[in-house]
Amino acid sequence: MNTRSVRRTGISLIAIGAALAGVAACGGSDSGSSKGAPAKEQHKAGSDFSPVAALQAVQKKTDGAGSAKVEMTMSMGSVMGLQGGGALAWGDGTTGTMRMKYTQGTMAQTMRQMGAESIDARYLRDAYFANMGPQFAQSLGGKHWIRYGYDDMAKLMGPAGAVMKDQMQNSTPQQGVKALLASGDVKKVGTEDVRGVQATHYSGTVDVAKVVGGSSGLDAKTLEAFKAQMTQSGITTDTVDIWVDKDDLLVKKTERAATKNGEMNTTAFYADYGVKVSAEAPAASDTVDFTSLIKPKASQQPS
């Protein structure tokens, strides 16, 4: 593989890695609206009431918090390993900043070939921007940032890109709660310590082919959107565990899913809900659009 091919592959991997990290950290797509439980059914997560009623309260409280600091790790078969941290906000699209490092797999190998294993990412409502540092910038005419527009990704990647666009524009951490509700077999495991915080642990496994209806606490539209998203993502089963503090806020989430590219494992920790989050697009003079980098020039011969 020549230098040009490595660079184009790396640019595509940045798109996948940064998008997956943002989705994993912020919890996945929140397609459609979900109906919360009536006021009389809302209870504290740590109470003795049913897990469904308790998680409906968690869903509402976490969604309404608006932002949080996040630490996450993610792996997918032999394809990738990733760790990152930053601050993200949700509600009007996913916004915020994260720093990520590729730790293993073919993606990490390719990134090392380009002299960069870590990237800084800025998430805005219609796009995210990735900065791989000064060495990679030399191959971009001195520009440090690559812009990945969600509309462009949706067009180029087909159904997978459309799913990714939806996830990046509608993510909230409470998607993990929604997955548990959709599983139909959510269980309260017990109370555990999570980084010094006493938290109630819930667990469940979603079988996409057996996504439940009325007993989930989700309306039909939300349930169908959730099932379609999982199917398009190549996920057949998804085991979700969440830990919730006394204020009905997520403090930890793990997911283990079977995908077309191998088992995907993610872990995310949440803290400082309501933190101020700001992210601005980099200067246009220091930015290049990824669509102009992945299209081969007509004069170039295939490598």
Side-chain angles (χ1 to χ4, degrees):
M1 185 181 292
N2 62 25
T3 302
R4 185 181 299 112
S5 297
V6 169
R7 190 185 74 167
R8 289 184 63 202
T9 300
I11 290 167
S12 298
L13 292 182
I14 297 168
I16 297 170
L20 287 176
V23 169
C26 214
S29 173
D30 185 25
S31 303
S33 61
S34 58
K35 297 178 181 178
K40 66 179 181 180
E41 296 181 4
Q42 299 287 2
H43 303 294
K44 288 288 184 181
S47 71
D48 294 327
F49 295 97
S50 75
V52 170
L55 290 181
Q56 286 173 330
V58 174
Q59 184 179 11
K60 181 178 180 180
K61 188 68 176 291
T62 299
D63 189 37
S67 65
K69 291 183 179 178
V70 183
E71 293 180 31
M72 57 79 63
T73 60
M74 180 179 186
S75 64
M76 183 184 295
S78 61
V79 176
M80 67 172 289
L82 191 67
Q83 63 184 33
L88 296 172
W90 52 89
D92 185 23
T94 302
T95 58
T97 61
M98 288 190 70
R99 181 164 181 78
M100 290 164 282
K101 181 178 181 180
Y102 294 84
T103 57
Q104 64 185 42
T106 54
M107 289 180 67
Q109 294 174 9
T110 301
M111 299 296 278
R112 281 195 292 270
Q113 282 184 272
M114 298 187 298
E117 296 178 62
S118 299
I119 66 172
D120 288 310
R122 296 182 187 177
Y123 299 92
L124 279 71
R125 192 180 188 285
D126 60 347
Y128 68 85
F129 298 80
N131 183 337
M132 288 180 54
Q135 183 172 338
F136 190 73
Q138 294 177 13
S139 67
L140 300 178
K143 296 185 177 182
H144 294 81
W145 294 90
I146 304 175
R147 179 186 182 276
Y148 293 90
Y150 299 139
D151 285 340
D152 293 327
M153 292 174 68
K155 292 177 183 178
L156 292 173
M157 298 172 63
V163 170
M164 189 173 292
K165 174 187 175 181
D166 177 70
Q167 290 175 330
M168 294 306 300
Q169 291 186 320
N170 299 288
S171 292
T172 70
Q174 55 102 338
Q175 175 63 9
V177 180
K178 186 178 293 183
L180 282 178
L181 290 171
S183 73
D185 71 345
V186 58
K187 299 177 179 64
K188 179 179 176 180
V189 179
T191 303
E192 302 168 15
D193 181 275
V194 177
R195 295 184 167 182
V197 175
Q198 286 297 300
T200 304
H201 179 186
Y202 295 92
S203 181
T205 298
V206 180
D207 184 335
V208 177
K210 301 177 182 178
V211 169
V212 298
S215 63
S216 70
L218 302 178
D219 61 80
K221 181 179 179 180
T222 300
L223 203 62
E224 283 304 309
F226 177 85
K227 185 174 181 178
Q229 175 205 335
M230 296 275 281
T231 301
Q232 290 176 344
S233 298
I235 296 175
T236 56
T237 61
D238 187 16
T239 299
V240 182
D241 288 78
I242 65 170
W243 288 258
V244 182
D245 69 11
K246 62 181 179 61
D247 296 318
D248 290 344
L249 293 171
L250 266 67
V251 292
K252 179 182 178 182
K253 175 179 68 71
T254 66
E255 289 192 58
R256 184 174 70 254
T259 78
K260 297 175 182 178
N261 295 309
E263 185 173 88
M264 180 173 67
N265 291 279
T266 66
T267 298
F269 293 92
Y270 304 93
D272 295 338
Y273 278 93
V275 65
K276 184 177 180 180
V277 175
S278 62
E280 297 181 354
S285 59
D286 197 25
T287 303
V288 60
D289 198 279
F290 90 102
T291 57
S292 67
L293 300 174
I294 63 173
K295 295 177 181 178
K297 296 180 181 179
S299 60
Q300 292 174 352
Q301 297 298 317
S303 301

